Amino acid sequence: AQRVTQPEKLLSVFKGAPVELKCNYSYSGSPELFWYVQYSRQRLQLLLRHISRESIKGFTADLNKGETSFHLKKPFAQEEDSAMYYCALSGSSGYSTLTFGKGTMLLVSP
Amino acid sequence: KAGVTQTPRYLIKTRGQQVTLSCSPISGHRSVSWYQQTPGQGLQFLFEYFSETQRNKGNFPGRFSGRQFSNSRSEMNVSTLELGDSALYLCASSLDGEAYEQYFGPGTRLTVT
């Protein structure tokens, strides 16, 4: 069975501090990993996917197959980064059967 | 282009009743997926429809069903509502079902009393 674990429900940091949102997964094949973000009163939206290896809004995430992790990082947090972040996994079929973690609320204080 | 729309946005029902939620995908998108979001369980996949056929199904009881019409609009139905069905129901559309292409709607907030 596939599973995504986000161990922190809430992460509170000060503006300018580094941020790391943890995500661990369990999947027997080759998954595709994603980070989704939901800002207050906005829709859930894709932040980044591991295949693209992009930096979006200063965030990066590296897939570590050995540790089965896909942690989201940003060197300097901004207040506008405050949001709910979800790590998600899709099986190798790529179809829309996303398995989500329970999410981590990131609060960035001034 | 217009985003994914869901109707109604809020709904209050009584235990034992049934409910139908609607999702209109982005124009041209053929895949519609449904998710249930609750504080305890988070986001859980319900099912996916592609070209009017259910292609994938999550681990939910048979009380949860759905369908897709020829214009790709989708409905999901929950029969014999239980208190635990209270949740935000999200739908997402994509061109062909690729996970990274999904665009989410605002959700329908269902409260069962």
Side-chain angles (χ1 to χ4, degrees):
Chain A
Q2 54 198 56
R3 181 174 295 175
V4 177
T5 303
Q6 293 180 251
E8 304 138 328
K9 285 188 177 179
L10 172 66
L11 184 62
S12 187
V13 301
F14 288 105
K15 177 182 172 181
V19 168
E20 183 178 48
L21 299 170
K22 291 184 166 46
C23 171
N24 288 90
Y25 67 91
S26 171
Y27 185 72
S28 56
S30 296
E32 187 165 2
L33 275 295
F34 308 87
W35 277 98
Y36 281 81
V37 61
Q38 189 166 29
Y39 300 101
S40 179
R41 298 189 185 86
Q42 293 189 29
R43 304 178 183 204
L44 190 64
Q45 57 186 286
L46 178 66
L47 180 62
L48 52 80
R49 53 192 289 231
H50 88 269
I51 284 180
S52 61
R53 302 182 68 83
E54 294 175 300
S55 172
I56 305 291
K57 298 185 179 183
F59 285 98
T60 59
D62 290 318
L63 179 61
N64 185 323
K65 292 185 179 180
E67 295 182 357
T68 59
S69 68
F70 188 56
H71 303 328
L72 183 68
K73 299 177 184 179
K74 185 169 183 176
F76 307 103
Q78 303 298 315
E79 289 179 69
E80 56 265 31
D81 296 329
S82 295
M84 194 73 177
Y85 291 82
Y86 294 94
C87 182
L89 173 158
S90 174
S92 52
S93 71
Y95 292 131
S96 305
T97 53
L98 287 168
T99 298
F100 285 90
K102 293 193 177 180
T104 298
M105 172 66 77
L106 173 64
L107 288 176
V108 182
S109 303
Chain B
K1 66 174 105 165
V4 177
T5 57
Q6 292 186 246
T7 56
R9 292 294 310 278
Y10 303 91
L11 206 48
I12 299 175
K13 289 286 189 178
T14 305
R15 266 184 304 177
Q17 288 186 314
Q18 68 101 22
V19 68
T20 299
L21 312 181
S22 180
C23 173
S24 292
I26 291 172
S27 177
H29 285 191
R30 296 183 294 171
S31 168
V32 174
S33 295
W34 288 90
Y35 295 85
Q36 181 195 64
Q37 186 175 26
T38 60
Q41 298 300 318
L43 277 153
Q44 294 183 283
F45 172 76
L46 280 155
F47 28 66
E48 184 225 357
Y49 285 86
F50 180 82
S51 293
E52 302 181 64
T53 302
Q54 187 181 86
R55 188 160 63 176
N56 291 289
K57 189 177 189 305
N59 189 26
F60 277 81
R63 300 185 297 107
F64 292 82
S65 63
R67 59 178 176 168
Q68 187 180 34
F69 301 95
S70 58
N71 62 357
S72 294
R73 189 178 69 85
S74 177
E75 289 181 346
M76 68 162 279
N77 185 77
V78 189
S79 62
T80 321
L81 283 165
E82 300 177 0
L83 294 179
D85 297 332
S86 294
L88 182 67
Y89 290 87
L90 296 174
C91 83
S93 77
S94 63
L95 275 168
D96 294 313
E98 291 290 340
Y100 68 90
E101 288 184 322
Q102 287 189 85
Y103 292 86
F104 283 81
T108 293
R109 171 75 61 186
L110 172 66
T111 302
V112 182
T113 61

